[in-house]
Every structure is written in C-alpha cells, then in structure tokens.
Amino acid sequence: MKATVDPDRCQGHARCWDISPEVFDLDEQGHGRVIVTEVPAGLRKKAADAAANCPERAITVS
Ligand code: F3S
C-alpha cells in the first residue's frame, strides 16, 4: 500500500498525523506529508483511517 497527500487539498488539519504518526508527519507549514515509501501491512488500517478522517479528502491510499 502507498499513501499520498495532495498538497493542493491539504489545509493542515493534522488528523493524519494524529491518527497514524508512523505514516504521516507535518511539514514546516503544518501540512501533512507521507514519511514511508510503502505502508507496512500492520499500519494499513491506520493509514486508511487517516485518509477517511481527512476533512479535505487530501489523502489517497492505494
Ligand atoms: Fe492535511 Fe488532511 Fe492531514 S488536511 S494535515 S492531509 S488530515
């Protein structure tokens, strides 16, 4: 599984980082970014939860 954050949609709500800090971090502007190239199997549900909880629908997991 891969996760991406669309920087044009992200508004810095930080729910991704709150829900799944193993996969997401915040940059200097407080915008979400993905810190792993591949989401490990054990973190897939958390990454999907983060995507589902982003109010801007900025996160894609595939
Ligand atoms: Fe941005 Fe959504 Fe995370 S708005 S900081 S990707 S919860």
Side-chain angles (χ1 to χ4, degrees), residues 8-38:
D8 294 330
R9 296 185 73 108
C10 175
Q11 296 295 318
H13 293 286
R15 292 192 194 169
C16 51
W17 174 67
D18 190 42
I19 292 170
S20 185
E22 306 90 344
V23 175
F24 301 94
D25 193 4
L26 303 178
D27 67 14
E28 301 76 30
Q29 282 77 45
H31 291 153
R33 65 182 173 193
V34 177
I35 57 172
V36 295
T37 52
E38 187 81 23

Side-chain angles (χ1 to χ4, degrees), residues 48 51 56:
E56 308 298 334

Side-chain angles (χ1 to χ4, degrees), residues 1-3 15-16 19-20 23-24 39-54 57 59-62:
M1 174 192 269
K2 291 198 182 299
R15 292 192 194 169
C16 51
I19 292 170
S20 185
V23 175
F24 301 94
V39 179
L43 294 174
R44 287 177 183 169
K45 183 177 184 320
K46 285 178 79 173
D49 285 349
N53 281 279
C54 173
R57 295 289 182 257
I59 300 169
T60 303
V61 290
S62 57

